[in-house]
Amino acid sequence: MASQGWFYSVIKHPLRWLTRFIAIADDAESGDASVADKPVVYVMRSTSRADYSILQRAARQKQLPDPSMPLVVNGKSFTRVMYLEQAESDSSQQAIEDFHQLLEAHHADQQLDIQLLPVGVFWGRKPGQEARDGATMTGDLDNPGHLRKFWLVLFSGRQVLCRFSRSVSLGTMARQSGSDIKIAHKLARVARVHFVRMRHAVAGPKLSDRNELMHDLISLPALKKAIADEQRSNKVSEQEARKKALSYVNEIAANYSETLVRVLDRFMTWMWSRIYNGIDVRGGDRIRKLAQQGHEIIYVPCHRSHMDYLLLSYVIYKQGLVPPHIAAGVNLNFFPVGSIFRRGGAFFIRRSFRGNKLYSAVFREYLCWLFQKGYPVEYFSEGGRSRTGRLLPPKTGMLAMTVQGMLRGQQRPISLVPVYLGYEHIMEVATYLKELKGKNKEKESMWQVLGSLRKLKNFGQGYVTFGKPINLKDFLDRQVEDWQSSVTRGAEEPERPQWLTPAVNRLAETVMRGINDAAAANSVNLTALAILSSEHHALTREELLAQLRVYQGLLKEVPYTQDVNVPTATAEELWSQAKRTDKFTINEDTMGQVIGLENANAIAMTYYRNNILHLMIVPGIVATALVAKKQQTLTQLIEQVQQVYPMLQAELFLSHEVDEVPLWVEAIVEELQRQGLVSFSGGVYHMVSRESAQWLQLQLLARSASETLQRYSIVLELLQQAQPIQRAELERHSITLAERLSAIHGINAPEFYDKKVMSTFIASLKGQDLLNVNDDGQQIAAPAIGALSDRIDALIDPPVLQTIRQSVQQLLVEMQKKADNSG
């Protein structure tokens, strides 16, 4: 259809009044030229004039060529828009002929490189129902006819999505494959598949009736076996066991409603605009590319807040993709929130179902069903919200079920996408601090939700970064030899292979590292890091700005990864943004401003600092070594970092390997020299003079690592002095000593004596063979642990080190007294 004709000129203005669209365009691949620099031909599915109207407006918005203007190549005119399905014949023959003519043009002119740009126009995102194919009004795949399209425009005209895919170089294709009619046929087939996948990515698979799903699931062989086992073990009838299985499916399964999602989209758009200054989203191209390639996408975000569920689904929807089915804690299944979440795609999971084989089997089958149907899925591998701002040690149950789902012979490739979620303010932080001090977690309820809504205010900026995807097949190929021999076909549950647990543990660690690789530094967490590193939690305005510049220089010039979100604002602009959150106190006198944190706020701000501590911990260790010894060779600095790095890596999920540390440390020292924080002469790096302004900056950088090193010193000192000692006692006494040190030296950081952090460090010692276990199950320090302890002690302030050693000795005396009394 070369021209839209007179009818289009009549209806295009009413269409403009009746419709509203969002246009999303994928960026060009790295190294490719922008389509704006080359001749463009649009490829659409159907000849709908309404679709054409949206394309014309969206192209103008994206500064692309007007589709109504023909493409002229070497004096010959070509239509600017090609249609795969022609309304007159319901055939793609015309498209094949158009493709062939363009290929012939490239054959005649080798320098020509026309870009084919697929465009999908979606009137609403209803996926349709399996039981009634063709009954739902979706105008994205076919020509629905004038009357049906009229109703689509009326009822879905305000929710139109226009998706520009990545362009395809016709010149490259012509040079590689030729220009005959067979290539044109192949091109048309590929284009049709592309649009089918695009629709699946935008709307998702067709929905199943929930009641039918429930009965279909318990009819699967694996669940029939589980029901029979339940019948035997609990001595109940088959009907009772089946009824119980159905109740579990009903408790778990989502009830996705596109209508509710559309309503929530409007509500969330309104809400986010009031409680956030904006949402910084990065990596959206990655997930759109995966979806277009037909991958089963599993989003694995960090868990900071109950806002995470809403924010991530909202962002994914705005990226032009179907929101995922979300694994939510059963504690959120209360009236009326549970029903809303369930219709938004949430499926509910119990905190623990150990020992309940029937529930475990039901949940596993439901998860596999989601994978097989092609629903994107989201779950939090930490298992719960972080109370300290650090990533929690991962729970591996869901990841194990994901791998087991792949062993069922899953045909579509599975990719896990780590997602970093960051905020300048989290409404639950005050509650987290109370829980860390021993207060019981409050049960979620409607009144709690209303109370939280009442407290909503401006929360600053939100951050969502989609990290580097992990292709599950590629991961298993690297980790497990001949893992595909464990794959079974059909619905039978495969046996649990011996390699599963270690492979899943490595996968979990890879996911957590991927989340931290995509961290976002922002005005609040950088300001918190600077002020909490000061001796009395206060800095002058000039000192704060100088320290923010130090952090920015390190993050930009020695990037932790390419995915880290580093703010481009100046230090002055960052402080201005942080000041608006009302988290910091500002005292002004004749000499200027002093910016600080009151005691309660200082404790709360450790949460935000911990979000990015992993980005600055190695620069902090380097600075600590320079402050402790005043001058160091590069080799000495590298050795000191390498000795503590395995513990840091285990605790903070650092993605760099030990053999990468030398280059990393060298780059950090060069940046510190560039900023004037260290000098270099005679093959040695020197700490700057105490009288210079840079002296304080280096001190503040060093203190970002001080609490971590102090905690290590406590455990190592206690282990050496009290061995042999039970693992539980080592953890308990280490926490006691950390709390004492915190009280004496004013360390207001809840994670300093957090049990999970202590346990992770002790486990890392065992993983490096620095900790042995005797026949009685007691912990014994390996010989090498003494040298490690001495190296760490050399990096700690002498007064703090003295307190640690004295406290350990007092604890040993008390332990001996108790042992004597019990004897």
Side-chain angles (χ1 to χ4, degrees), residues 330-385:
V330 74
N331 57 304
L332 295 177
N333 189 17
F334 59 88
F335 178 83
V337 173
S339 178
I340 295 173
F341 279 4
R342 199 183 291 276
R343 289 180 175 275
F347 59 97
F348 293 98
I349 180 173
R350 296 182 181 182
R351 290 295 181 190
S352 174
F353 39 88
R354 183 173 296 174
N356 190 338
K357 293 183 179 180
L358 181 59
Y359 181 91
S360 179
V362 168
F363 187 85
R364 187 167 53 249
E365 291 304 311
Y366 178 71
L367 193 63
C368 287
W369 177 84
L370 290 176
F371 296 158
Q372 290 162 3
K373 285 291 184 180
Y375 292 102
V377 173
E378 171 192 334
Y379 52 71
F380 299 93
S381 62
E382 294 170 281
R385 291 168 293 160

Side-chain angles (χ1 to χ4, degrees), residues 758-776:
M758 287 290 187
S759 179
T760 299
F761 174 59
I762 293 169
S764 72
L765 292 176
K766 187 175 180 181
Q768 298 172 73
D769 296 324
L770 292 172
L771 202 61
N772 299 321
V773 181
N774 65 15
D775 294 338
D776 296 326

